[in-house]
Amino acid sequence: MKPEPGRGSECWDLGPALALEAPFPFVCAGCGECCRHRNDLVLSGYDLYRIARRLRLSPRIVAHAFCKEYIASQSCLPTLCLTPDPRTGHCRFFEGNACVIHNARPLACALYPLGQSIDPVTAQVEYHAQMPLCGLSVPERTLRRYLEDSAVEERIGIDARWAVVCTQISDQLLAAGGQQHFHFSAAARRIQKALYLDYDLGNEFYPQFQQNIAVLMPLLTRILTP
């Protein structure tokens, strides 16, 4: 099954959520194993925007050059998945045992080895651990410190809002019949532009995202209403 955006898709079913002050001793050792043979990295609009800014290319060019586009089967949302390097099968941005876009790496990469779930109603965020086969251990570290060091905490508001909005759009699409709706293709194109493509890299992401969604939602209602 392909990963789905916006519905806590970075979360594994691995037991209870971790408290922010819970011990979390994992420290990345820089081995690059999590970058090898990756073909499942779903990007949010914010992920794409950050990569585009780092590469100094438009979101549309980055999406076309480095991503696979598809309609997620469960949510019916237009989705972007980072495609691997065709020569190595590794992440496209993994070179010389290092990430060349490290400061703009996708959320899934910054989280590793954590899974993240976001409640689509309350926007409450929870974190779940998987057992990595790599890394170092520093016993005094907490989950909060890990999130701070990984720059996950500073973007959590945007990621939570993204998940909530994606769920709202998905619910609207599914209520209208999903891909069977006569105007689904038109709706999907509009959604993709609003979520991923219509961003000026000279301006911050979140105000543009809010503006895009404010325009999109009533438009979707008109497109999908019989």
Side-chain angles (χ1 to χ4, degrees):
M1 181 181 295
K2 293 178 179 177
E4 303 252 346
R7 292 181 177 270
S9 56
E10 303 304 338
C11 176
W12 294 269
D13 184 13
L14 295 168
L18 298 174
L20 288 176
E21 303 307 327
F24 191 73
F26 176 83
V27 176
C28 177
C31 68
E33 281 304 307
C34 59
C35 305
R36 293 183 172 91
H37 304 294
R38 293 302 303 265
N39 59 7
D40 60 347
L41 283 175
V42 170
L43 302 182
S44 70
Y46 189 43
D47 288 332
L48 182 67
Y49 169 88
R50 284 162 52 86
I51 294 172
R53 249 190 172 185
R54 172 66 177 80
L55 300 178
R56 298 183 180 179
L57 299 170
S58 72
R60 189 179 298 274
I61 290 175
V62 173
H64 180 73
F66 303 120
C67 298
K68 177 181 180 180
E69 304 174 11
Y70 62 91
I71 300 298
S73 59
Q74 294 182 1
S75 68
C76 286
L77 289 173
T79 304
L80 293 180
C81 187
L82 196 62
T83 56
D85 186 304
R87 296 175 294 106
T88 65
H90 304 332
C91 174
R92 285 183 175 273
F93 303 114
F94 182 61
E95 297 180 9
N97 287 331
C99 175
V100 297
I101 59 163
H102 188 264
N103 290 338
R105 65 197 186 280
L107 176 63
C109 304
L111 280 170
Y112 183 84
L114 291 170
Q116 182 193 74
S117 61
I118 301 175
D119 188 293
V121 177
T122 66
Q124 180 178 347
V125 182
E126 294 182 340
Y127 298 95
H128 306 254
Q130 61 173 337
M131 294 301 294
L133 300 177
C134 59
L136 304 175
S137 179
V138 178
E140 65 270 19
R141 279 166 62 88
T142 63
L143 175 62
R144 185 187 299 276
R145 179 63 183 274
Y146 183 81
L147 297 175
E148 291 172 353
D149 291 347
S150 302
V152 171
E153 195 169 74
E154 67 187 39
R155 57 176 289 177
I156 187 58
I158 295 176
D159 294 323
R161 179 60 180 160
W162 167 269
V164 170
V165 167
C166 283
T167 299
Q168 292 172 346
I169 296 173
S170 172
D171 289 345
Q172 190 170 357
L173 289 173
L174 294 172
Q179 297 188 57
Q180 303 306 312
H181 192 282
F182 183 74
H183 296 300
F184 175 81
S185 294
R189 287 193 297 271
R190 295 283 188 170
I191 293 167
Q192 185 185 54
K193 290 176 62 178
L195 292 181
Y196 291 102
L197 304 179
D198 283 354
Y199 292 92
D200 179 354
L201 300 181
N203 297 314
E204 293 302 311
F205 173 84
Y206 190 68
Q208 296 182 82
F209 174 65
Q210 290 285 73
Q211 183 177 3
N212 286 356
I213 298 308
V215 173
L216 174 67
M217 297 307 277
L219 178 61
L220 278 185
T221 298
R222 293 198 296 272
I223 292 175
L224 298 174
T225 300

